[in-house]
Amino acid sequence: MVDKLVPNDPRVKHHTTTLPSGHTYHYLEALPSSGTPAATVVLIHGFPDLSFGWRHQIPFLTSLSLRVIVPDMLGYGLSSAPSPIPPYSYKSLSTDLASLIQLVSPSHPIILGGHDWGGAIVWRLALRHPALILGVFSICTPYNAPNSQGYIPKKVLIDQFLPNFAYQLQFEDPTLENKIQAAGRDGIRKFLNILYGSKDSKTGKGHFVANVGIDLSLFDEGVKVEKSELLSEEELEFYVDQYERNGVHAPMNYYRTWDVNYEEEKADLVKEGKSKVEVPGMILTATRDTALPPKMADNMEQFFPRGLIKREVEANHWATWENPEEVNKAIGEFVGELLKGRAKEFKASI
């Protein structure tokens, strides 16, 4: 049984800081039980999640004599939740996180990890600010280089190449958001359960289908959605409490950044020819992830001149919760290699 945090766990400290952007970030800090930390690890969550999403990893990492910093990302939990879309772009979030890293670890580079949207963000952060980072890993989310081929509408890309991203068209549209909000706390609970793997009690099939989205009738009054098996009732209620504070508009904004990401990266990363991540990396895919299937990580090695480690775990998209033993083992091995000072000697492995 993997040790994990509980809501309001006394083993973590809570901090709040306002960054140069004006955005306020809440973050968790966990320290080893004794001695000087060997390094600082910064973990970035995805959608729909919170800093608490790393509850199975934080105690494990502190047991390795590591200090762990985990923010509620912009739009989530106790952090700022601006309504406009641009603050949620890769560039804007990378700037915020670079500021946070310089605040929490001003003298030493950190080890950076992410899951889901957090995975996409940590790749961009490492691309833009490699001097701040000793090594970077992503769970489930592959690296995609900045688009130098010209603008492609998201729907065209989905229709032609990525049907598993069709749900994103529903998530960026206000209809789903409005349906959730109209159903109040129960709507938030239903939405979280659905995304966390709730299954139809009659068919045994999940309510979330990557190449379709979510049946909106599930949010109608009187329609029951079973609780996800991946988290306890206490954990679920903690999530609902946090999401009830600001609703789902800000988290949904991450799915609305397609155009602003293209324009911003065209103006600097593409113009400067920056596509390679100049720090050692690891991608950990999940065998049953229907939104981000392992095949999407093919051919990533060409963008990691200092080496990319590839690992795979038997799990669905919520690998950090469903199979924390194997996830933690992979993270621990990657961190161990980094701390042995062998980062420059990393060789791509599959």
Side-chain angles (χ1 to χ4, degrees):
M1 179 80 65
V2 170
D3 184 17
K4 65 176 178 176
L5 300 182
V6 298
N8 305 308
D9 199 299
R11 290 175 290 179
V12 298
K13 298 178 182 177
H14 294 259
H15 303 280
T16 301
T17 186
T18 299
L19 301 177
S21 64
H23 298 145
T24 297
Y25 278 73
H26 163 257
Y27 63 95
L28 307 179
E29 180 185 30
L31 297 168
S33 58
S34 62
T36 302
T40 295
V41 178
V42 176
L43 300 173
I44 308 302
H45 71 79
F47 175 94
D49 209 347
L50 298 163
S51 54
F52 186 62
W54 293 97
R55 58 191 174 278
H56 297 84
Q57 284 67 51
I58 294 171
F60 169 74
L61 291 169
T62 58
S63 76
L64 301 181
S65 296
L66 297 164
R67 174 183 179 229
V68 186
I69 301 291
V70 195
D72 282 338
M73 285 299 290
L74 193 70
Y76 292 88
L78 295 171
S79 293
S80 295
S83 182
I85 296 169
Y88 301 92
S89 74
Y90 287 145
K91 183 176 182 179
S92 178
L93 293 172
S94 292
T95 299
D96 274 357
L97 291 174
S99 297
L100 181 63
I101 289 168
Q102 289 168 316
L103 173 70
V104 300
S105 186
S107 303
H108 302 285
I110 58 94
I111 298 167
L112 182 65
H115 170 250
D116 185 77
W117 268 104
I121 292 161
V122 300
W123 294 135
R124 283 311 192 263
L125 180 55
L127 184 64
R128 289 183 175 277
H129 302 280
L132 300 177
I133 300 163
L134 182 62
V136 57
F137 66 87
S138 170
I139 299 171
C140 296
T141 312
Y143 172 74
N144 288 293
N147 177 14
S148 61
Q149 305 302 310
Y151 179 76
I152 304 173
K154 184 190 287 187
K155 189 175 187 309
V156 171
L157 186 72
I158 290 169
D159 288 344
Q160 294 184 4
F161 303 107
L162 291 173
N164 49 298
F165 274 16
Y167 70 93
Q168 296 194 13
L169 300 176
Q170 184 188 52
F171 285 13
E172 69 181 23
D173 186 274
T175 305
L176 172 59
E177 175 186 325
N178 293 338
K179 194 81 171 176
I180 296 167
Q181 298 293 97
R185 184 179 178 88
D186 189 52
I188 293 172
R189 183 185 291 105
K190 284 182 176 181
F191 179 67
L192 294 174
N193 273 319
I194 290 167
L195 267 292
Y196 298 158
S198 172
K199 296 178 181 179
D200 187 296
S201 59
K202 295 179 180 178
T203 67
K205 295 181 179 180
H207 289 299
F208 170 75
V209 181
N211 61 359
V212 176
I214 300 170
D215 180 353
L216 297 182
S217 69
L218 291 169
F219 297 97
D220 292 346
E221 189 174 352
V223 177
K224 184 179 181 181
V225 172
E226 300 291 336
K227 190 184 79 67
S228 167
E229 297 177 354
L230 290 178
L231 68 176
S232 69
E233 190 66 41
E234 180 189 20
E235 291 166 344
L236 177 62
E237 289 307 303
F238 177 78
Y239 272 91
V240 176
D241 288 343
Q242 296 299 307
Y243 275 83
E244 197 174 26
R245 178 177 290 105
N246 293 309
V248 298
H249 173 75
M252 291 288 198
N253 271 349
Y254 284 73
Y255 292 95
R256 299 169 177 140
T257 57
W258 185 265
D259 289 356
V260 66
N261 282 337
Y262 172 75
E263 293 298 336
E264 288 182 347
E265 294 190 347
K266 176 184 175 183
D268 56 15
L269 296 178
V270 173
K271 187 176 181 180
E272 297 161 14
K274 293 181 76 172
S275 63
K276 294 186 177 181
V277 178
E278 299 291 342
V279 298
M282 179 180 74
I283 174 70
L284 181 63
T285 56
T287 55
R288 291 181 278 105
D289 190 337
T290 58
L292 295 166
K295 187 172 177 56
M296 290 185 68
D298 289 352
N299 304 315
M300 278 179 56
E301 294 87 347
Q302 62 184 305
F303 298 107
F304 290 79
R306 295 186 61 187
L308 176 72
I309 296 228
K310 281 187 168 182
R311 294 288 183 265
E312 187 173 277
V313 294
E314 175 62 33
N316 64 24
H317 180 70
W318 298 97
T320 52
W321 305 356
E322 187 185 20
N323 195 348
E325 294 89 351
E326 290 302 312
V327 169
N328 289 355
K329 179 182 177 182
I331 294 173
E333 290 174 354
F334 179 66
V335 168
E337 289 299 311
L338 291 172
L339 297 183
K340 285 177 184 175
R342 297 198 300 213
K344 291 182 180 179
E345 300 167 8
F346 269 30
K347 294 183 179 178
S349 64
I350 298 177

